[in-house]
Amino acid sequence: MGELLLKADSIDKHFGITHALDHVSLTFNKGEIHALIGENGSGKSTITNCLTGIYKKDSGTFTLDGTVIEPKNQVDANHLGAAIIVQEIGTLSGLTVAENIFLGNEDMFISHGIKNASAMNRKAQQYLNEYGFDHIDAARSIDDYNFEDRKLVEIVKATYFNPKVLVVDETTTALGQKGREELFKVMHRMKGMGSCVIFISHDLDEVIELSDSISVLRDGVYIGSIDKADATVDILKKMMVGREIGDNYYRTDYGEAISDEVVISAKNISVPGQLDDVSLELHKGEILGIGGLSECGMHEIGKALFGASYFRKGSVTLADGTSIDSIPDAISHSMAYASKDRDNESLVINDTICENICLPSLEELKKGGFLFGSAMKAFANKFARQMSTKMTGVDQFVSALSGGNKQKVVLARWIGKDSDLIILDSPTRGIDVKVKADIYAMMDNMRKNGKSIIMISEEIMELIGMADRILIMKDGKINGEFQRSESLSDMDLIEKMI
Amino acid sequence: MDTTVKKEAAAKVPFLDRPIVRTILPIAGFAIICGLFYYLTNGRLFSSKSLGLLMSQSYMLLISSIGVFFIMTMGGLDFSQGSMLGVSSIVVCYLSHYNIVLAIIGGVVTGGLIGLINGFFNVKRKISSFIVTICNMYLFRGVCAYLTTKSPVYGVSDISKYNNLPFMMTFTVVIFVIAWLVFTFTGLGSRLKAIGAGETAARFAGIRVERTKMLVYMAAGCITGLAAFVNSVKVGSVTSTAGSQLETQIMISLVLGGMPISGGAKVRFYNIILGVMTYKILSGGLVMLMIPTQLQQLILGIVFLGEVALFSDRNTGMVVK
């Protein structure tokens, strides 16, 4: 125990513009079960997929047992001593169980160019029996087995050659009680042989019970590691969700009365797989915060209200009874929406700042039925400057701007449109502190001018600091509601999230 | 860390992506081709006679390029133009026996309907425009061939009275001015460019993407209907091959004019005229030099490939919608 086995040094990985792993360094010891936890999208699967050759890392090194490994694919990783049981189905349809187990290693059974299928089946069956999975017939097609049995086959596939490192990526959710026990047996056996098991799971109780040490990732950044002895579910949750420190740029007022006037109400909105019968109301001059874990459905609420959700059921109506069913409906009734997905949804990034700011206001910018380029430029300039956007000019392409300045362009567009109802999804995501403060000040200003804001955010402190009212979502439903108060703590909210 | 990397990347704009280079290169290409053929043909290509001939051959291509220009601006493609022109020309010739205005309207409606079919399959059935228009290219070439099986469809005998420079020039210029006004001063250009540069973001900015696409495919068909009238006036009859290869000529022209093949924000209206002129001088010059047809195609192919390689916008990728 305690002897270094695997060292991940400054692993970096981008998916397009998403920084999935930000120079993550981690160490794993011999003979331990090392849990990797974090929210969805925190980079747990990404780093283990890089380790096992499924993804190619951008930079950084993995050192296994003193040698740097650069697996080209999964089979190569197996030969180097790293194996993985993946989150999704990792077996190939149309092949037999035995063919799946020895995928990429068929050479073992090939002599003089001919594959000895019966030898392969015999060997596979022997392994299956050793693991106690003798109800699975190696010669039969994998399609004859259910999801759980396929996972068992994957366990054999990943471990029969006794890898030095085994990654178990979110496998337990796919397994029933018996399957889990089988998996845990294998994990403990691996540990006993001096290997390291990297265990990825969302079930924190299970994590604490099984692991020797636990590392936490958040948004592609390594947060810290903790020993089993020190771990409690609360501590882990706090590490996973994270907190913003230095919150002196939030609103400072408390106890202001909110108008009774409802500006928009959503009744029983559902979106398959995302939202389940959610109803809410937004009042005039209110900042309504919506929080939760990434996958709780809160991001879909913004789209559903804005008429941008294709499969929405239920109704969204304004105070005067107008129903909002499409984006043009929403925009023409003074609604605005800034998406979390800034580069794909909020902005046409391969277009100029001018066009981006003017797009929703083209009709208003016409003079005598004609739209002049000069009017567009003047308009764009006015609002880009009002937001103090750093740019070389409004002809600059948005793709060249930093995240904060992109967001300023998005906001400039809607301020220019003079929208009364603004939905901001993760308004400060990936934005530095200074621009954050600008955005908060702008929101406070808008609120005072009688505009209503929905702020969807993954940052708990931002919700507590800015919102008049907070809805916390879990699994597509509203799971808790909090009023603005000085005594509101992050733990109150976290409790409703997880 | 992340932002500094992006800033560095932004500072180093590749030579070919600089706006000024993108503007100058097609103009320089036009000048070089003019100069080259002036030299190679000892100035014959630019005699008033051959220029007039060149002009009279350009009207059809000029007009039909407008519609494809709109489609390509929003990131689509249209390969069905040639067949569309063939079928529309048949309608124009047939109706010209009754009334010439009716003939024009008939051509426009026919083109518009075919455009609507393109739009329907692209927008409602979500098939890429590349595939849809290639299918319709074959389909309507078939229609065209069927209708001209026994004999070519002849227009009314005095249709050729319109085949004179003042009429054709005015006809073409009027269409261009209208198209330019609509593209530049109604916000249509901004909307189409936004769709080409990022369809999802365009949708979130309140643009009715589906409706716009349908309309543009239909409008492109209507404009080709007008080109079919020009074609009928010039030729007087329609055979099964009328308008074949038109789609590639349009595509080559637009690309020669500096149009990014994936559309988007870098599109300029003058790309059409500059491109068609470059293409016509290039192909006219090759004919005048008596280069065999097969070799002409080879040369045009090489030029096309070269231009596409230079002008494709690698940031947006080669996504055909």
Side-chain angles (χ1 to χ4, degrees), chain A residues 303 306 308 310 327-328 331 337 344-345 347-348 350-351 355 359-360 362-363 366 369-372 376 397 400 413, chain B residues 1-3 10 181 184-187 190-191 193-194 197-198 200-208 265-266 315-316:
Chain A
K303 290 195 170 73
F306 193 59
Y310 276 123
I327 296 172
I331 292 177
Y337 172 66
N344 283 314
E345 295 180 346
L347 289 167
V348 186
N350 287 306
D351 211 337
E355 296 278 354
L359 271 181
L362 289 177
E363 292 307 316
K366 282 186 184 173
F370 280 95
L371 178 72
F372 290 98
M376 288 172 72
F397 273 64
R413 165 196 284 180
Chain B
M1 182 72 208
D2 194 26
T3 46
L181 287 176
T184 316
F185 296 104
T186 64
S190 289
R191 293 192 177 96
K193 285 182 197 175
T200 313
R203 198 166 73 87
F204 275 91
I207 296 171
R208 295 176 192 271
K266 289 166 187 157
N315 291 329
T316 16

Side-chain angles (χ1 to χ4, degrees), chain A residues 225-460:
Chain A
S225 295
I226 186 167
D227 271 348
K228 178 197 187 111
D230 305 324
T232 67
V233 171
D234 273 352
I235 292 174
L236 292 181
K237 277 184 186 174
K238 254 191 172 165
M239 287 174 81
M240 280 166 70
V241 178
R243 288 192 297 171
E244 191 65 33
I245 307 151
D247 46 8
N248 53 0
Y249 40 71
Y250 297 126
R251 279 167 68 183
T252 47
D253 61 290
Y254 288 93
E256 265 182 43
I258 295 299
S259 153
D260 283 338
E261 190 186 335
V262 173
V263 289
I264 191 168
S265 63
K267 286 201 182 65
N268 312 103
I269 49 172
S270 295
V271 174
Q274 311 251 28
L275 289 179
D276 187 7
D277 198 24
V278 172
S279 298
L280 60 88
E281 285 182 337
L282 175 67
H283 300 262
K284 190 170 166 61
E286 179 185 42
I287 299 181
L288 173 64
I290 301 180
L293 296 178
S294 297
E295 307 291 312
C296 68
M298 62 178 176
H299 300 299
E300 197 62 26
I301 284 197
K303 290 195 170 73
L305 292 175
F306 193 59
S309 220
Y310 276 123
F311 305 107
R312 190 196 79 196
K313 288 195 201 90
S315 70
V316 176
T317 46
L318 299 178
D320 62 359
T322 319
S323 163
I324 301 293
D325 297 314
S326 73
I327 296 172
D329 278 355
I331 292 177
S332 63
H333 289 95
S334 205
M335 286 176 73
Y337 172 66
S339 168
K340 180 191 178 191
D341 189 353
R342 212 170 289 147
D343 284 359
N344 283 314
E345 295 180 346
S346 290
L347 289 167
V348 186
I349 62 162
N350 287 306
D351 211 337
T352 60
I353 295 172
C354 177
E355 296 278 354
N356 269 289
I357 292 180
C358 294
L359 271 181
S361 307
L362 289 177
E363 292 307 316
E364 289 88 334
L365 285 168
K366 282 186 184 173
K367 284 190 190 104
F370 280 95
L371 178 72
F372 290 98
S374 52
M376 288 172 72
K377 281 210 172 125
F379 181 82
N381 237 317
K382 181 178 163 199
F383 291 102
R385 300 245 178 267
Q386 188 177 323
M387 287 303 302
S388 56
T389 312
K390 272 200 206 109
M391 57 182 183
T392 57
V394 291
D395 283 334
Q396 194 180 4
F397 273 64
V398 171
S399 51
L401 300 178
S402 68
N405 279 303
K406 281 180 183 165
Q407 188 70 318
K408 285 181 170 181
V409 173
V410 178
L411 297 172
R413 165 196 284 180
W414 297 119
I415 292 173
K417 184 83 185 165
D418 197 22
S419 306
D420 292 327
L421 201 164
I422 298 114
I423 303 163
L424 301 171
D425 193 345
S426 315
T428 60
R429 185 180 63 91
I431 286 176
D432 62 55
V433 179
K434 207 190 141 299
V435 181
K436 260 188 191 179
D438 291 348
I439 291 175
Y440 294 141
M442 188 202 79
M443 286 169 66
D444 199 24
N445 227 346
M446 287 176 143
R447 176 183 71 87
K448 285 177 186 151
N449 289 328
K451 312 227 180 233
S452 316
I453 300 172
I454 291 178
M455 179 181 68
I456 300 163
S457 177
E458 288 167 31
E459 305 235 5
I460 293 171

Side-chain angles (χ1 to χ4, degrees), chain B residues 16 27 36 44 100 114 172 247 275 319:
Chain B
L16 282 170
I27 299 174
L36 184 69
R44 277 185 298 141
I100 200 72
I114 299 176
T172 310
E247 54 284 329
V319 187

Side-chain angles (χ1 to χ4, degrees), chain B:
Chain B
M1 182 72 208
D2 194 26
T3 46
T4 53
V5 172
K6 271 183 198 151
K7 270 177 204 155
E8 279 166 22
K12 278 189 283 174
V13 179
F15 182 71
L16 282 170
D17 285 347
R18 290 183 196 156
I20 184 77
V21 178
R22 291 191 83 90
T23 312
I24 285 177
L25 212 57
I27 299 174
F30 178 69
I32 290 168
I33 283 174
C34 285
L36 184 69
F37 283 103
Y38 184 85
Y39 171 74
L40 288 176
T41 63
N42 294 320
R44 277 185 298 141
L45 186 64
F46 296 95
S47 66
S48 58
K49 192 178 156 223
S50 47
L51 272 184
L53 193 69
L54 217 60
M55 219 37 235
S56 77
Q57 287 171 345
S58 306
Y59 300 126
M60 183 179 88
L61 187 58
L62 274 169
I63 296 172
S64 52
S65 295
I66 298 173
V68 182
F69 168 81
F70 286 162
I71 292 174
M72 279 176 71
T73 301
M74 57 177 199
L77 285 175
D78 191 348
F79 283 100
S80 66
Q81 291 290 320
S83 307
M84 202 187 269
L85 184 109
V87 176
S88 298
S89 296
I90 291 174
V91 175
V92 171
C93 283
Y94 181 75
L95 290 176
S96 68
H97 293 280
Y98 302 95
N99 180 304
I100 200 72
V101 176
L102 187 68
I104 297 179
I105 294 170
V108 168
V109 170
T110 310
L113 286 175
I114 299 176
L116 211 53
I117 296 174
N118 283 336
F120 174 80
F121 282 100
N122 178 224
V123 176
K124 299 287 180 196
R125 309 302 310 159
K126 308 224 181 301
I127 308 169
S128 105
S129 60
F130 176 76
I131 302 295
V132 171
T133 58
I134 284 210
C135 292
N136 279 340
M137 170 176 97
Y138 277 100
L139 201 162
F140 288 100
R141 178 59 58 202
V143 172
C144 188
Y146 178 76
L147 294 175
T148 55
T149 319
K150 292 202 188 93
S151 71
V153 177
Y154 292 99
V156 71
S157 54
D158 69 344
I159 198 170
S160 59
K161 73 178 176 203
Y162 299 102
N163 193 11
N164 56 60
L165 186 86
F167 177 82
M168 294 291 238
M169 193 63 139
T170 316
F171 192 77
T172 310
V173 167
V174 166
I175 293 171
F176 258 87
V177 169
I178 293 172
W180 177 68
L181 287 176
V182 170
F183 188 75
T184 316
F185 296 104
T186 64
L188 181 73
S190 289
R191 293 192 177 96
L192 294 186
K193 285 182 197 175
I195 294 174
E199 196 173 320
T200 313
R203 198 166 73 87
F204 275 91
I207 296 171
R208 295 176 192 271
V209 174
E210 297 201 341
R211 189 188 291 181
T212 310
K213 280 187 165 181
M214 282 291 246
L215 274 174
V216 166
Y217 274 102
M218 196 179 76
C222 293
I223 294 168
T224 299
L226 295 170
F229 171 70
V230 170
N231 178 51
S232 306
V233 166
K234 188 163 169 289
V235 186
S237 65
V238 189
T239 61
S240 63
T241 56
S244 76
Q245 302 284 312
L246 177 67
E247 54 284 329
T248 27
Q249 291 175 17
I250 294 172
M251 214 79 69
I252 296 176
S253 299
L254 290 175
V255 171
L256 285 176
M259 174 141 188
I261 206 147
S262 47
K266 289 166 187 157
V267 165
R268 297 288 174 271
F269 194 78
Y270 69 78
N271 293 150
I272 310 174
I273 301 169
L274 186 63
V276 171
M277 292 316 2
T278 312
Y279 173 79
K280 276 295 171 186
I281 288 174
L282 180 61
S283 59
L286 290 174
V287 172
M288 190 165 270
L289 289 176
M290 311 244 253
I291 295 193
T293 322
Q294 297 87 335
L295 209 55
Q296 284 179 30
Q297 289 210 356
L298 179 87
I299 293 167
L300 283 171
I302 291 169
V303 172
F304 186 35
L305 195 61
E307 289 271 345
V308 173
L310 276 179
F311 281 115
S312 54
D313 194 338
R314 282 166 199 85
N315 291 329
T316 16
M318 292 278 284
V319 187
V320 174
K321 285 164 194 147

Side-chain angles (χ1 to χ4, degrees), chain A residues 127-189:
Chain A
Y127 284 131
L128 284 166
N129 294 346
E130 273 174 26
Y131 279 80
F133 308 152
D134 38 13
H135 64 288
I136 301 174
D137 182 351
R140 281 176 68 181
S141 164
I142 194 84
D143 301 294
D144 294 344
Y145 294 97
N146 63 22
F147 194 82
E148 178 154 1
D149 282 339
R150 284 182 177 212
K151 275 288 165 203
L152 297 179
V153 172
E154 268 189 79
I155 294 174
V156 176
K157 180 190 171 187
T159 55
Y160 73 86
F161 51 91
N162 298 325
K164 291 177 201 160
V165 176
L166 171 69
V167 179
V168 179
D169 186 356
E170 204 72 55
T171 306
T172 49
T173 46
L175 296 171
Q177 196 53 43
K178 191 178 167 299
R180 278 178 198 221
E181 277 163 25
E182 295 294 346
L183 176 66
F184 297 156
K185 256 196 267 172
V186 174
M187 284 165 64
H188 280 113
R189 205 188 73 212

